[in-house]
Amino acid sequence: MGAKRYILYIGEYMTTDKEKIDTLINRLDNLDFVIKSFIDNSEKLKSKYSLEEEILSCNARKNVLLEELAKLGGSWPLTN
């Protein structure tokens, strides 16, 4: 099985790096929620999904988002 490749599109309408950073952080927060949801509901979903495969897929997407965020000078997770 070959590695999946993820393409990141954050929109041409975004004119500032701040807007791009905010979008990337939002996507990372959403992805984190999805990962936690898969883990929390793994028993209910095991007949439909492979937890290992879903986590690997989510982590691959997360890595792409984090790389792009780092290029823009942003960081995640945010701390208050």
Side-chain angles (χ1 to χ4, degrees), residues 1 4-7 11 15 19-20 25 30 34 38 41 43 45 48 51 53-54 58-59 65-70 73:
M1 178 192 249
K4 290 183 180 177
R5 184 172 170 216
Y6 294 99
I7 298 172
T15 56
E19 290 174 312
K20 293 174 185 175
I25 289 171
N30 289 339
V34 168
F38 271 122
N41 296 294
E43 279 301 311
L45 301 173
K48 189 171 184 178
L51 180 61
E53 287 179 19
E54 293 301 323
C58 287
N59 282 334
L65 293 169
L66 288 170
E67 287 174 18
E68 198 62 31
L69 185 61

Side-chain angles (χ1 to χ4, degrees), residues 2-23:
K4 290 183 180 177
R5 184 172 170 216
Y6 294 99
I7 298 172
L8 177 64
Y9 178 76
I10 54 176
E12 295 174 17
Y13 63 90
M14 293 178 200
T15 56
T16 67
D17 285 351
K18 172 77 170 107
E19 290 174 312
K20 293 174 185 175
I21 288 170
D22 290 344
T23 298

